[in-house]
Amino acid sequence: MSSPSVAFFFSFLFLVLASAAAKLDIGKTLSSYSDFSDFVNMLNETGVADEINSKQTVTVLVVSNGNLGSLYGQTMETKKMVLSVHVVLDYYDETKLNKSHSKTAKILTTLYQQTGKARNQVGFLNMTNTGTSAVVFSSSSPNSHLEAQLVKQVTSKPYDLSVLQISNLIDVASVSLVPSPSNAPDYAPPPRKVLAPATTPSPDEVDNQKSPAPSKTKASDASPPDADAPGPGSDVKKSAVSAPCGDYLVSTILLIFTCAWLLLTMM
């Protein structure tokens, strides 16, 4: 094989390996965090996980199973809208947040803004970090009144993927995620299959498993952008479990070396 052919072959192989290494997989990234299992399941069933994996740089604001509240009872379309608001199209980890002190809120663009369905600034978030209190996220929509505080950094892959835990779901205008105090139902994750017969919990254990309803706080005073900037629309994709990157890598390398062998035999 000539020298130019060898150079081309290895250059192509390098590009393939680099592409496989850079691919995001939010399901695999959070697979070891049981506290967010229901959040990840909803990402998968709504197709939001596929959209996250197709991005180069994102920050996912995750919520623990116990604080998902009435999102369990919402339609698939509503779930997708709410979850899309929790995906920021930029990279923010604790280090970057700690350096972003400001007296006014910073406007963040979310995945929902790209759908073209966002109205009244629902596709934007206010991120407030004064340096004297917890970092707060809230919807830029004037009709949203519930804030979510930063709890901790879950994991990060600079500067492609950052996962931050927040205290509760971000309120989205026109979608009620907070039960009425006088008639608040008890929400629980969908039942999971068990290997052994489940025992009947005691009344005390049932009380301990109730999901706490998020508390209302004053919304951010920051002014939202003057106009929406909708991106191209996107359709709901059928959720599928992503194959491990290793399988793709092995298949790709085998294909490349098969092609190289065929080229050698033809020369």
Side-chain angles (χ1 to χ4, degrees):
M1 183 181 292
S2 63
S3 179
S5 299
V6 173
F8 173 79
F9 170 74
F10 283 104
S11 297
F12 181 70
L13 178 61
F14 174 78
L15 291 174
V16 170
L17 294 175
S19 176
K23 183 176 177 60
L24 299 181
D25 190 334
I26 187 64
K28 183 177 180 180
T29 299
L30 295 178
S31 61
S32 60
Y33 298 92
S34 58
D35 288 347
F36 310 122
S37 59
D38 291 331
F39 189 90
V40 173
N41 288 339
M42 290 185 185
L43 290 179
N44 286 326
E45 69 180 3
T46 57
V48 176
D50 292 333
E51 296 185 27
I52 293 174
N53 295 340
S54 68
K55 303 299 180 184
Q56 293 183 341
T57 302
V58 291
T59 298
V60 183
L61 306 177
V62 299
V63 180
S64 64
N65 298 337
N67 291 325
L68 288 175
S70 59
L71 190 60
Y72 288 115
Q74 299 292 341
T75 64
M76 196 66 67
E77 181 179 358
T78 298
K79 286 181 181 179
K80 181 171 184 177
M81 179 185 70
V82 174
L83 293 175
S84 297
V85 171
H86 289 70
V87 180
V88 178
L89 301 181
D90 200 350
Y91 180 86
Y92 286 93
D93 56 15
E94 281 189 324
T95 301
K96 185 175 181 179
L97 289 175
N98 290 335
K99 296 179 180 178
S100 60
H101 297 169
S102 176
K103 293 182 180 179
T104 58
K106 181 178 179 63
I107 305 301
L108 309 180
T109 304
T110 70
L111 184 63
Y112 185 61
Q113 183 64 25
Q114 283 194 335
T115 64
K117 300 177 182 179
R119 297 292 182 271
N120 298 323
Q121 313 303 327
V122 173
F124 297 100
L125 295 180
N126 293 335
M127 188 274 290
T128 306
N129 181 16
T130 61
T132 59
S133 58
V135 178
V136 173
F137 298 89
S138 62
S139 174
S140 295
S141 172
N143 297 321
S144 301
H145 306 291
L146 185 65
E147 295 179 340
Q149 293 186 351
L150 174 66
V151 176
K152 64 180 180 182
Q153 174 83 50
V154 178
T155 186
S156 64
K157 182 182 178 182
Y159 293 90
D160 301 321
L161 173 66
S162 176
V163 180
L164 303 173
Q165 181 183 358
I166 56 177
S167 58
N168 49 265
L169 289 168
I170 295 171
D171 182 33
V172 179
S174 77
V175 178
S176 176
L177 297 177
V178 185
S180 171
S182 60
N183 188 25
D186 297 331
Y187 296 105
R192 297 186 177 89
K193 294 182 180 180
V194 294
L195 298 179
T199 58
T200 303
S202 64
D204 293 336
E205 291 175 336
V206 173
D207 291 338
N208 291 333
Q209 294 176 356
K210 292 181 179 179
S211 301
S215 58
K216 293 185 178 180
T217 58
K218 186 177 179 181
S220 173
D221 295 331
S223 299
D226 294 334
D228 289 332
S234 62
D235 297 327
V236 178
K237 300 179 181 178
K238 185 177 181 181
S239 176
V241 178
S242 301
C245 292
D247 291 344
Y248 286 121
L249 187 58
V250 173
S251 300
T252 303
I253 292 175
L254 288 176
L255 179 60
I256 291 172
F257 278 102
T258 301
C259 294
W261 181 81
L262 291 174
L263 288 175
L264 283 172
T265 58
M266 295 173 63
M267 294 181 64

